[in-house]
Amino acid sequence: MANKKTEEGSNNRRNFLRLGLMSSVSAVAGATLISNLTADEVEPSGEKIRVLTPDGKMVEVDAKSINKYPEAVITPTESRKGIPDKKFVMVIDLAKCKNARKCVEGCQKAHKLDDHEEFMKVQLIQNNEEGSPYWFPKPCFHCDEPPCVTVCPTGATFKREDGIVLIDNERCIGCKFCITSCPYSARQFNWGHKEKFEDKSQPYSPETQVPAAEGTVMKCDFCPDMLRQGKLPHCATACPMGVIYFGDKNEDIVTNGSETVSFSQLIKDRGGYRHLEHLGTKPNVYYLPAVNRQFPVERGFDVDEEIIERYKDVPFVKELKEQGKL
Amino acid sequence: MKTKIFQYLFIFTALAFVNPNSFAQETNLKNYKIRFGLSTTKQADNSRILEASYVAANKKDRKDRVPIYDANINFYNVFADEEVLLGTAKTDQEGIAQLIVPANQSYTTNEEGYINFKAVFDGTDGLDYEEAEVAVKDVFLELNLEDIDSVKTVILNAYTLDSLQTKIPLEETEIIFSVGGMLSKMPIKQDNISEGRFEFEFPEHISGDKNGNIDVFASIIDNDEYGNVIQKKNIAWGINKNIITESNQLWSDVAPIWMYVVLSILLIGVWANYAYSIKNLFNIKKEGKELELKSENEN
Amino acid sequence: MDIIKRKSELVNEFSPMLEKSTKTSKIWVSFLILVILIGLVAFIIQVVNGHIVTGMRDNVVWGIYIINFIFFVCLSYSGAFISGILHFFKSPWKNSVSRIVEIITVLSLIIGPIFILLCIGRLDRLYFLFLYPRIQSPITWDIIAIMTDLLGCFIYLYLTFIPDFAMLRDNSENAPKWRQKMYKILAIKYYDTPTQREALHKITRTMSVMVIALAIVAYSVLAWIFSLTVQPGWNSSIFAPYFIIAGLYSGVSVIIIAMYLIRKFYHLDHYIRKVHFMGAGVILLIISILFGYFTFSEYFSRWFSHKIEDTKLLDTLFNRYFWYFIFANYIGVLVPVFILFFKKFRTIKSITFAAVIAILGLYVNRYLIVVPTLETPYLPIQDTRPEYIHYTATWIEWALSFAGIAAFILFFILIMRLVPIIPMSGIIDYEREQKRKPHASNNH
Ligand code: SF4
Ligand code: SF4
């Protein structure tokens, strides 16, 4: 009988997560279970998942109650270290993006963000009047020379060894200096009070940024909690087109979930570039130019009115509107 | 995929007897098809993973899949009428129950050399009995990484054993070679093996971990006859691209020394001046006091 | 001794200013208090509801709080600068204005930082600045600079007050007990003996140099908060000197206005004379030309090299902010220059008018430095919520800004109740000098 005992399993998992990474992913199933699963027994908190119980009841349960690793929370102090020997990098293939917005939604769900709170934004960029417009998913670039970190007076935002730039919202005093110095508008501020800030069911970690706090800053975090489990960030998993590749630069391997390729080869073959290179921020997010596209840019207009409205200043959109095509 | 034998056994009769108010949602189950499947993977250390997946899929909406959570699944090795219980596992929130059978477990095989596995859900009042079977041959992959005349060569020998323990080379089976990564494996070669042997030159540009170590994998994936088989070996063939982490003192914890120096000089200078002024004020006060005393004495 | 007699004479002359509270002054004070109270209400609303009540949002994260902050702090630095120079060079007309300048310096240095506090999301964590300081952050530099400067200015101000306190102590037999006692403590047994006087002069002089140096450092640090970022409208190497000039511009203007008001309300025509206004006017002229020059080079080089981000910024400035731009950078500079340039236009009223225009222009200029830059980031803002695209200050922000100004004036009035606005010791010193070299010109 090789079935692992419940406790042992979760303990191992916890130590494992604290130390760093899984080398080969072999999930321990059936660990940490709740024996009796009914809807009203679960404390209300956030996200619900629908499952079928062995008795054939379809119930909505709290995601938290069947979350396998609630103990593996990385404290603010631990989160400053980073995952050893890694250097994370993201590659976004603009040729495949059709503004499906699944990355945005996946990210919002995982980070408990409201509407309009977007760590990942999809912009429509047209470099010049003649230039062909393209969809441009934009997370935080986790710069190697991050101006945001330089200017923080308290060290609330920091860059870790693995290249990830995080914010400790228990340290942040909300001076917003980092927001003004980020050239990529990657940061957001919690202006008012929200009920979700009170939800303490999940202990705070800078690696998840949940729960957020009033008067502090937040931004895309590259999902280190997922990386510690050997999983891709939420945006990369959510994208149906496989636009977002993620991986370790040291290993020189990036993957979008279905395809795993050599990072350096990919950049070389496809002419990868970084946005606004001349600013010297040295981003860790690379873009593959929007050539040989899989979709015409118009495919991206299959979204809410409100979202189309955001792009009203782009010359291409203006043109379409004049022609009555939008 | 024939190895993942999905069996669709169920009609929901029991539900008809349930009070619709207390289990309002269950009535929907009619629209769901239960999928129960089993697959097996032989791992590098010769242990074997048995994985049963148990989900209800909406007949109309393909995206709507509801996992059955926390269900007990029993895994058996079946031979003729005999069933040997290998272990039990519960399904997780994705409806997957996984059992890792250690390498030293011996299995009974049938005449053609197949091992039969079976996963069983015993059934409850709400859900019916389910079972799924899979039959695979036990494959042995021997992976050798050799430096032949300074050419990094990957050599794979693959065979099965017959009842007399003689090696039968594998024919026409697709093998995927890959290197291990943090998030997933990167394929480096994908080809059919013939006469039980395959050989190729290891690519030059692989980085490996910080010491240049690489996990090289050879795997058979979703094969009708063999299921999943994975073999792995570690070797220091990486060119070790390890990127030196940049350190710029402007964003690090500790500031450049000159900043401390300049700041201290400035502050010391200014504060010394303040102190000097205040000291002088005290002198003034002292003198004033003496003056007062003197005038009092005079009076 | 006629010096002693002269001292009591002076005290008698200025005492009414310290004690009388006329009807108008009462109305003024209660009005100011009212404004401050409204500001307090706004502050409470902001604390309870969070920064959502302000007009600031994700793109424009700094609004008029920061602008007020720069404005007041620059005012203070320029005050320190000017007063340091007045003292150090023993300029002939220092007497009439030096105290005004010193009070402006200290008050604005107290009020300015309050605005930066209003801008901070988590006031409850302010002490983190000292608990986890990062030396590399320009904010840290600024905090150190402001605190050091504040203390320095306090000491300096106090030094210049001591002889007056001593005179008031010796000559206010009729004043209420608490006043007498206060003067006694504050005068720290200063009896104007030659050694005491010399010691005091010496440290006042070194402090005046210190204060100038500090002001330059603090100005630069303040400018660096902006110019060390990579933002298009901010990343400019001339920002530090530009801020110094802009600060002096506002400083001299505020001094002129204060001189005008004080002269008018306290009937000090004898002490604050036309010649002072003329002098200040000429200085304002020089500074306004310098300021115009800096402004011009700043925008001219952006326009001429037309990097795409700069072009976008200038587009915003010349479209959405067209009238602001015209007012701040044309009217706010050219009108004062025009008025002050021709000798025949220089009257007390017109000089004061030029100063008012200069201040308003400068304030708008600051607004144009902060807000439009934040509204034109490198990556275009693609949003549908108007408040996230453009910044408009809410009443909360305005209420607090006006409360700041009101507090400034109120404290000014209160300090004038404490010591005469014209340093009596200065008059004595001056007369002493005169006696020693009776042939010197008599144009005090
Ligand atoms: S993109 Fe902005 S927030 Fe992210 S690391 Fe770079 S400067 Fe900082
Ligand atoms: S807002 Fe917070 S994270 Fe940003 S610079 Fe200020 S203290 Fe640091």
Side-chain angles (χ1 to χ4, degrees), chain A residues 123-124 149-152 169 172-174 180 191 214 306, chain C residues 51 58 62 120-122 125 128 134 137 231 380 382 384:
Chain A
Q123 300 208 283
L124 181 61
V149 176
T150 304
V151 301
C152 180
N169 82 9
C172 174
I173 60 165
T180 60
W191 293 100
E214 185 187 345
E306 191 272 329
Chain C
H51 280 222
D58 278 347
W62 285 348
I120 280 183
R122 295 298 293 245
R125 296 182 182 167
F128 283 10
R134 276 186 83 253
S137 169
Q231 302 298 349
Q382 295 183 337
T384 47

PDB file of all heavy atoms in Angstrom, chain A residues 123-124 149-152 169 172-174 180 191 214 306, chain C residues 51 58 62 120-122 125 128 134 137 231 380 382 384:
ATOM      1  N   GLN A 123      -3.753  46.191 -23.979  1.00  0.00           N
ATOM      2  CA  GLN A 123      -3.868  47.477 -24.639  1.00  0.00           C
ATOM      3  C   GLN A 123      -3.883  47.264 -26.150  1.00  0.00           C
ATOM      4  O   GLN A 123      -3.433  46.233 -26.645  1.00  0.00           O
ATOM      5  CB  GLN A 123      -2.693  48.364 -24.242  1.00  0.00           C
ATOM      6  CG  GLN A 123      -2.652  48.590 -22.739  1.00  0.00           C
ATOM      7  CD  GLN A 123      -2.006  49.903 -22.376  1.00  0.00           C
ATOM      8  OE1 GLN A 123      -0.802  50.032 -22.401  1.00  0.00           O
ATOM      9  NE2 GLN A 123      -2.818  50.879 -22.032  1.00  0.00           N
ATOM     10  N   LEU A 124      -4.416  48.241 -26.822  1.00  0.00           N
ATOM     11  CA  LEU A 124      -4.359  48.214 -28.282  1.00  0.00           C
ATOM     12  C   LEU A 124      -3.344  49.267 -28.679  1.00  0.00           C
ATOM     13  O   LEU A 124      -3.542  50.448 -28.438  1.00  0.00           O
ATOM     14  CB  LEU A 124      -5.727  48.515 -28.889  1.00  0.00           C
ATOM     15  CG  LEU A 124      -5.780  48.496 -30.416  1.00  0.00           C
ATOM     16  CD1 LEU A 124      -5.411  47.131 -30.952  1.00  0.00           C
ATOM     17  CD2 LEU A 124      -7.170  48.871 -30.900  1.00  0.00           C
ATOM     18  N   VAL A 149      11.462  50.223  -7.325  1.00  0.00           N
ATOM     19  CA  VAL A 149      12.119  49.748  -6.110  1.00  0.00           C
ATOM     20  C   VAL A 149      13.109  50.793  -5.605  1.00  0.00           C
ATOM     21  O   VAL A 149      13.211  51.052  -4.413  1.00  0.00           O
ATOM     22  CB  VAL A 149      12.836  48.408  -6.377  1.00  0.00           C
ATOM     23  CG1 VAL A 149      13.591  47.959  -5.150  1.00  0.00           C
ATOM     24  CG2 VAL A 149      11.836  47.350  -6.795  1.00  0.00           C
ATOM     25  N   THR A 150      13.815  51.401  -6.547  1.00  0.00           N
ATOM     26  CA  THR A 150      14.807  52.403  -6.159  1.00  0.00           C
ATOM     27  C   THR A 150      14.196  53.502  -5.306  1.00  0.00           C
ATOM     28  O   THR A 150      14.782  53.922  -4.325  1.00  0.00           O
ATOM     29  CB  THR A 150      15.416  53.039  -7.425  1.00  0.00           C
ATOM     30  OG1 THR A 150      15.951  51.997  -8.225  1.00  0.00           O
ATOM     31  CG2 THR A 150      16.500  54.009  -7.067  1.00  0.00           C
ATOM     32  N   VAL A 151      13.016  53.949  -5.685  1.00  0.00           N
ATOM     33  CA  VAL A 151      12.492  55.136  -5.017  1.00  0.00           C
ATOM     34  C   VAL A 151      11.701  54.842  -3.750  1.00  0.00           C
ATOM     35  O   VAL A 151      11.343  55.763  -3.028  1.00  0.00           O
ATOM     36  CB  VAL A 151      11.586  55.953  -5.960  1.00  0.00           C
ATOM     37  CG1 VAL A 151      12.358  56.385  -7.176  1.00  0.00           C
ATOM     38  CG2 VAL A 151      10.355  55.173  -6.356  1.00  0.00           C
ATOM     39  N   CYS A 152      11.408  53.583  -3.479  1.00  0.00           N
ATOM     40  CA  CYS A 152      10.560  53.291  -2.313  1.00  0.00           C
ATOM     41  C   CYS A 152      11.285  53.654  -1.022  1.00  0.00           C
ATOM     42  O   CYS A 152      12.379  53.177  -0.763  1.00  0.00           O
ATOM     43  CB  CYS A 152      10.178  51.819  -2.300  1.00  0.00           C
ATOM     44  SG  CYS A 152       9.157  51.402  -0.902  1.00  0.00           S
ATOM     45  N   ASN A 169       2.398  44.740   1.336  1.00  0.00           N
ATOM     46  CA  ASN A 169       1.441  45.797   1.653  1.00  0.00           C
ATOM     47  C   ASN A 169       1.287  46.008   3.153  1.00  0.00           C
ATOM     48  O   ASN A 169       0.534  46.858   3.591  1.00  0.00           O
ATOM     49  CB  ASN A 169       0.111  45.595   0.927  1.00  0.00           C
ATOM     50  CG  ASN A 169      -0.824  44.611   1.596  1.00  0.00           C
ATOM     51  OD1 ASN A 169      -0.596  44.157   2.712  1.00  0.00           O
ATOM     52  ND2 ASN A 169      -1.900  44.284   0.915  1.00  0.00           N
ATOM     53  N   CYS A 172       4.008  48.950   3.153  1.00  0.00           N
ATOM     54  CA  CYS A 172       3.806  50.108   2.275  1.00  0.00           C
ATOM     55  C   CYS A 172       3.107  51.246   3.026  1.00  0.00           C
ATOM     56  O   CYS A 172       2.127  51.034   3.721  1.00  0.00           O
ATOM     57  CB  CYS A 172       2.962  49.673   1.089  1.00  0.00           C
ATOM     58  SG  CYS A 172       2.469  51.006   0.013  1.00  0.00           S
ATOM     59  N   ILE A 173       3.631  52.458   2.867  1.00  0.00           N
ATOM     60  CA  ILE A 173       2.994  53.594   3.526  1.00  0.00           C
ATOM     61  C   ILE A 173       2.103  54.373   2.561  1.00  0.00           C
ATOM     62  O   ILE A 173       1.482  55.353   2.942  1.00  0.00           O
ATOM     63  CB  ILE A 173       4.016  54.558   4.153  1.00  0.00           C
ATOM     64  CG1 ILE A 173       4.940  55.115   3.075  1.00  0.00           C
ATOM     65  CG2 ILE A 173       4.805  53.879   5.230  1.00  0.00           C
ATOM     66  CD1 ILE A 173       5.709  56.320   3.540  1.00  0.00           C
ATOM     67  N   GLY A 174       2.076  53.942   1.324  1.00  0.00           N
ATOM     68  CA  GLY A 174       1.169  54.572   0.369  1.00  0.00           C
ATOM     69  C   GLY A 174       1.608  55.933  -0.123  1.00  0.00           C
ATOM     70  O   GLY A 174       0.781  56.790  -0.416  1.00  0.00           O
ATOM     71  N   THR A 180       4.486  56.719  -9.582  1.00  0.00           N
ATOM     72  CA  THR A 180       4.905  57.773 -10.498  1.00  0.00           C
ATOM     73  C   THR A 180       6.216  57.413 -11.181  1.00  0.00           C
ATOM     74  O   THR A 180       6.506  57.947 -12.235  1.00  0.00           O
ATOM     75  CB  THR A 180       5.107  59.114  -9.775  1.00  0.00           C
ATOM     76  OG1 THR A 180       6.102  58.938  -8.780  1.00  0.00           O
ATOM     77  CG2 THR A 180       3.843  59.597  -9.145  1.00  0.00           C
ATOM     78  N   TRP A 191      -7.573  52.950  -3.501  1.00  0.00           N
ATOM     79  CA  TRP A 191      -7.973  54.302  -3.104  1.00  0.00           C
ATOM     80  C   TRP A 191      -8.937  54.321  -1.946  1.00  0.00           C
ATOM     81  O   TRP A 191      -8.784  55.105  -1.026  1.00  0.00           O
ATOM     82  CB  TRP A 191      -8.584  55.040  -4.288  1.00  0.00           C
ATOM     83  CG  TRP A 191      -7.553  55.284  -5.334  1.00  0.00           C
ATOM     84  CD1 TRP A 191      -7.376  54.560  -6.473  1.00  0.00           C
ATOM     85  CD2 TRP A 191      -6.532  56.273  -5.311  1.00  0.00           C
ATOM     86  NE1 TRP A 191      -6.293  55.052  -7.160  1.00  0.00           N
ATOM     87  CE2 TRP A 191      -5.763  56.101  -6.480  1.00  0.00           C
ATOM     88  CE3 TRP A 191      -6.188  57.284  -4.420  1.00  0.00           C
ATOM     89  CZ2 TRP A 191      -4.680  56.913  -6.772  1.00  0.00           C
ATOM     90  CZ3 TRP A 191      -5.111  58.093  -4.718  1.00  0.00           C
ATOM     91  CH2 TRP A 191      -4.364  57.904  -5.882  1.00  0.00           C
ATOM     92  N   GLU A 214      -6.219  48.771   2.132  1.00  0.00           N
ATOM     93  CA  GLU A 214      -6.487  50.149   1.737  1.00  0.00           C
ATOM     94  C   GLU A 214      -5.226  51.003   1.847  1.00  0.00           C
ATOM     95  O   GLU A 214      -4.394  50.799   2.731  1.00  0.00           O
ATOM     96  CB  GLU A 214      -7.557  50.740   2.657  1.00  0.00           C
ATOM     97  CG  GLU A 214      -7.964  52.134   2.219  1.00  0.00           C
ATOM     98  CD  GLU A 214      -8.899  52.795   3.218  1.00  0.00           C
ATOM     99  OE1 GLU A 214      -9.440  52.100   4.075  1.00  0.00           O
ATOM    100  OE2 GLU A 214      -9.066  54.013   3.112  1.00  0.00           O
ATOM    101  N   GLU A 306     -17.909  48.348 -23.215  1.00  0.00           N
ATOM    102  CA  GLU A 306     -17.096  49.180 -22.328  1.00  0.00           C
ATOM    103  C   GLU A 306     -15.617  49.012 -22.675  1.00  0.00           C
ATOM    104  O   GLU A 306     -14.840  49.963 -22.652  1.00  0.00           O
ATOM    105  CB  GLU A 306     -17.358  48.772 -20.877  1.00  0.00           C
ATOM    106  CG  GLU A 306     -16.799  49.710 -19.829  1.00  0.00           C
ATOM    107  CD  GLU A 306     -15.371  49.382 -19.447  1.00  0.00           C
ATOM    108  OE1 GLU A 306     -14.967  48.197 -19.485  1.00  0.00           O
ATOM    109  OE2 GLU A 306     -14.633  50.317 -19.121  1.00  0.00           O
TER     110      GLU A 306
ATOM    111  N   HIS C  51      -8.679  57.709   0.417  1.00  0.00           N
ATOM    112  CA  HIS C  51      -8.311  58.671  -0.615  1.00  0.00           C
ATOM    113  C   HIS C  51      -9.263  58.699  -1.794  1.00  0.00           C
ATOM    114  O   HIS C  51      -9.096  59.474  -2.719  1.00  0.00           O
ATOM    115  CB  HIS C  51      -6.894  58.380  -1.099  1.00  0.00           C
ATOM    116  CG  HIS C  51      -5.851  58.915  -0.180  1.00  0.00           C
ATOM    117  ND1 HIS C  51      -4.723  59.537  -0.615  1.00  0.00           N
ATOM    118  CD2 HIS C  51      -5.796  58.939   1.165  1.00  0.00           C
ATOM    119  CE1 HIS C  51      -3.998  59.916   0.417  1.00  0.00           C
ATOM    120  NE2 HIS C  51      -4.631  59.550   1.514  1.00  0.00           N
ATOM    121  N   ASP C  58      -5.485  56.221 -10.330  1.00  0.00           N
ATOM    122  CA  ASP C  58      -4.275  55.474 -10.658  1.00  0.00           C
ATOM    123  C   ASP C  58      -3.281  56.171 -11.579  1.00  0.00           C
ATOM    124  O   ASP C  58      -2.094  55.959 -11.449  1.00  0.00           O
ATOM    125  CB  ASP C  58      -4.640  54.119 -11.244  1.00  0.00           C
ATOM    126  CG  ASP C  58      -4.959  53.146 -10.133  1.00  0.00           C
ATOM    127  OD1 ASP C  58      -4.660  53.474  -8.987  1.00  0.00           O
ATOM    128  OD2 ASP C  58      -5.516  52.082 -10.406  1.00  0.00           O
ATOM    129  N   TRP C  62      -0.666  61.867  -7.827  1.00  0.00           N
ATOM    130  CA  TRP C  62      -0.318  63.033  -7.022  1.00  0.00           C
ATOM    131  C   TRP C  62      -1.113  64.222  -7.536  1.00  0.00           C
ATOM    132  O   TRP C  62      -1.097  64.521  -8.725  1.00  0.00           O
ATOM    133  CB  TRP C  62       1.169  63.337  -7.133  1.00  0.00           C
ATOM    134  CG  TRP C  62       2.038  62.397  -6.373  1.00  0.00           C
ATOM    135  CD1 TRP C  62       1.642  61.488  -5.448  1.00  0.00           C
ATOM    136  CD2 TRP C  62       3.454  62.269  -6.470  1.00  0.00           C
ATOM    137  NE1 TRP C  62       2.716  60.802  -4.949  1.00  0.00           N
ATOM    138  CE2 TRP C  62       3.843  61.263  -5.567  1.00  0.00           C
ATOM    139  CE3 TRP C  62       4.431  62.919  -7.213  1.00  0.00           C
ATOM    140  CZ2 TRP C  62       5.175  60.881  -5.396  1.00  0.00           C
ATOM    141  CZ3 TRP C  62       5.743  62.539  -7.043  1.00  0.00           C
ATOM    142  CH2 TRP C  62       6.116  61.533  -6.141  1.00  0.00           C
ATOM    143  N   ILE C 120      -0.356  60.826   1.745  1.00  0.00           N
ATOM    144  CA  ILE C 120       0.120  59.475   2.051  1.00  0.00           C
ATOM    145  C   ILE C 120      -1.044  58.561   2.392  1.00  0.00           C
ATOM    146  O   ILE C 120      -1.924  58.922   3.171  1.00  0.00           O
ATOM    147  CB  ILE C 120       1.158  59.542   3.187  1.00  0.00           C
ATOM    148  CG1 ILE C 120       2.490  59.974   2.576  1.00  0.00           C
ATOM    149  CG2 ILE C 120       1.295  58.230   3.896  1.00  0.00           C
ATOM    150  CD1 ILE C 120       3.615  60.015   3.537  1.00  0.00           C
ATOM    151  N   GLY C 121      -1.053  57.380   1.788  1.00  0.00           N
ATOM    152  CA  GLY C 121      -2.188  56.466   1.934  1.00  0.00           C
ATOM    153  C   GLY C 121      -2.315  55.894   3.329  1.00  0.00           C
ATOM    154  O   GLY C 121      -3.405  55.653   3.809  1.00  0.00           O
ATOM    155  N   ARG C 122      -1.194  55.643   3.969  1.00  0.00           N
ATOM    156  CA  ARG C 122      -1.251  55.020   5.275  1.00  0.00           C
ATOM    157  C   ARG C 122      -0.517  55.883   6.284  1.00  0.00           C
ATOM    158  O   ARG C 122       0.621  55.626   6.636  1.00  0.00           O
ATOM    159  CB  ARG C 122      -0.599  53.627   5.212  1.00  0.00           C
ATOM    160  CG  ARG C 122      -1.343  52.658   4.345  1.00  0.00           C
ATOM    161  CD  ARG C 122      -2.729  52.405   4.850  1.00  0.00           C
ATOM    162  NE  ARG C 122      -2.726  51.718   6.102  1.00  0.00           N
ATOM    163  CZ  ARG C 122      -3.217  50.486   6.274  1.00  0.00           C
ATOM    164  NH1 ARG C 122      -3.756  49.842   5.272  1.00  0.00           N
ATOM    165  NH2 ARG C 122      -3.190  49.913   7.453  1.00  0.00           N
ATOM    166  N   ARG C 125       1.183  54.452   9.302  1.00  0.00           N
ATOM    167  CA  ARG C 125       2.469  53.760   9.214  1.00  0.00           C
ATOM    168  C   ARG C 125       3.613  54.717   8.961  1.00  0.00           C
ATOM    169  O   ARG C 125       4.676  54.305   8.524  1.00  0.00           O
ATOM    170  CB  ARG C 125       2.425  52.770   8.056  1.00  0.00           C
ATOM    171  CG  ARG C 125       1.434  51.669   8.250  1.00  0.00           C
ATOM    172  CD  ARG C 125       1.522  50.731   7.086  1.00  0.00           C
ATOM    173  NE  ARG C 125       0.543  49.662   7.223  1.00  0.00           N
ATOM    174  CZ  ARG C 125       0.229  48.851   6.240  1.00  0.00           C
ATOM    175  NH1 ARG C 125       0.803  49.006   5.067  1.00  0.00           N
ATOM    176  NH2 ARG C 125      -0.662  47.899   6.416  1.00  0.00           N
ATOM    177  N   PHE C 128       7.219  54.062   9.723  1.00  0.00           N
ATOM    178  CA  PHE C 128       8.004  53.098   8.939  1.00  0.00           C
ATOM    179  C   PHE C 128       9.162  53.794   8.227  1.00  0.00           C
ATOM    180  O   PHE C 128      10.166  53.182   7.918  1.00  0.00           O
ATOM    181  CB  PHE C 128       7.122  52.405   7.896  1.00  0.00           C
ATOM    182  CG  PHE C 128       6.243  51.330   8.454  1.00  0.00           C
ATOM    183  CD1 PHE C 128       6.105  51.167   9.821  1.00  0.00           C
ATOM    184  CD2 PHE C 128       5.553  50.479   7.610  1.00  0.00           C
ATOM    185  CE1 PHE C 128       5.288  50.186  10.340  1.00  0.00           C
ATOM    186  CE2 PHE C 128       4.738  49.491   8.121  1.00  0.00           C
ATOM    187  CZ  PHE C 128       4.599  49.337   9.486  1.00  0.00           C
ATOM    188  N   ARG C 134      15.253  53.679   3.651  1.00  0.00           N
ATOM    189  CA  ARG C 134      16.110  53.313   2.520  1.00  0.00           C
ATOM    190  C   ARG C 134      16.803  54.587   2.050  1.00  0.00           C
ATOM    191  O   ARG C 134      16.151  55.511   1.579  1.00  0.00           O
ATOM    192  CB  ARG C 134      15.288  52.722   1.374  1.00  0.00           C
ATOM    193  CG  ARG C 134      15.020  51.253   1.540  1.00  0.00           C
ATOM    194  CD  ARG C 134      14.324  50.685   0.319  1.00  0.00           C
ATOM    195  NE  ARG C 134      15.264  50.344  -0.737  1.00  0.00           N
ATOM    196  CZ  ARG C 134      15.420  51.025  -1.856  1.00  0.00           C
ATOM    197  NH1 ARG C 134      14.720  52.109  -2.057  1.00  0.00           N
ATOM    198  NH2 ARG C 134      16.269  50.637  -2.765  1.00  0.00           N
ATOM    199  N   SER C 137      16.255  56.297  -1.512  1.00  0.00           N
ATOM    200  CA  SER C 137      15.028  56.925  -1.980  1.00  0.00           C
ATOM    201  C   SER C 137      15.067  58.437  -1.804  1.00  0.00           C
ATOM    202  O   SER C 137      15.337  58.932  -0.717  1.00  0.00           O
ATOM    203  CB  SER C 137      13.838  56.366  -1.200  1.00  0.00           C
ATOM    204  OG  SER C 137      12.709  57.139  -1.476  1.00  0.00           O
ATOM    205  N   GLN C 231      10.049  59.926 -16.041  1.00  0.00           N
ATOM    206  CA  GLN C 231       8.857  60.470 -16.690  1.00  0.00           C
ATOM    207  C   GLN C 231       9.197  61.645 -17.604  1.00  0.00           C
ATOM    208  O   GLN C 231      10.041  62.471 -17.267  1.00  0.00           O
ATOM    209  CB  GLN C 231       7.840  60.936 -15.641  1.00  0.00           C
ATOM    210  CG  GLN C 231       7.396  59.849 -14.689  1.00  0.00           C
ATOM    211  CD  GLN C 231       6.687  58.705 -15.368  1.00  0.00           C
ATOM    212  OE1 GLN C 231       6.329  58.787 -16.534  1.00  0.00           O
ATOM    213  NE2 GLN C 231       6.509  57.604 -14.658  1.00  0.00           N
ATOM    214  N   PRO C 380      -0.156  54.600 -23.448  1.00  0.00           N
ATOM    215  CA  PRO C 380      -1.370  55.411 -23.419  1.00  0.00           C
ATOM    216  C   PRO C 380      -2.366  54.903 -22.377  1.00  0.00           C
ATOM    217  O   PRO C 380      -2.463  53.704 -22.138  1.00  0.00           O
ATOM    218  CB  PRO C 380      -1.929  55.238 -24.832  1.00  0.00           C
ATOM    219  CG  PRO C 380      -1.283  54.010 -25.367  1.00  0.00           C
ATOM    220  CD  PRO C 380       0.055  53.942 -24.732  1.00  0.00           C
ATOM    221  N   GLN C 382      -5.672  53.691 -21.426  1.00  0.00           N
ATOM    222  CA  GLN C 382      -6.854  53.171 -22.125  1.00  0.00           C
ATOM    223  C   GLN C 382      -7.863  52.772 -21.068  1.00  0.00           C
ATOM    224  O   GLN C 382      -7.785  51.706 -20.483  1.00  0.00           O
ATOM    225  CB  GLN C 382      -6.469  52.008 -23.044  1.00  0.00           C
ATOM    226  CG  GLN C 382      -5.566  52.500 -24.158  1.00  0.00           C
ATOM    227  CD  GLN C 382      -5.167  51.446 -25.170  1.00  0.00           C
ATOM    228  OE1 GLN C 382      -5.179  50.271 -24.892  1.00  0.00           O
ATOM    229  NE2 GLN C 382      -4.815  51.898 -26.366  1.00  0.00           N
ATOM    230  N   THR C 384     -12.071  53.842 -19.469  1.00  0.00           N
ATOM    231  CA  THR C 384     -13.312  54.534 -19.786  1.00  0.00           C
ATOM    232  C   THR C 384     -13.796  55.395 -18.639  1.00  0.00           C
ATOM    233  O   THR C 384     -14.748  56.138 -18.773  1.00  0.00           O
ATOM    234  CB  THR C 384     -14.430  53.523 -20.114  1.00  0.00           C
ATOM    235  OG1 THR C 384     -14.414  52.520 -19.113  1.00  0.00           O
ATOM    236  CG2 THR C 384     -14.214  52.918 -21.470  1.00  0.00           C
TER     237      THR C 384
END
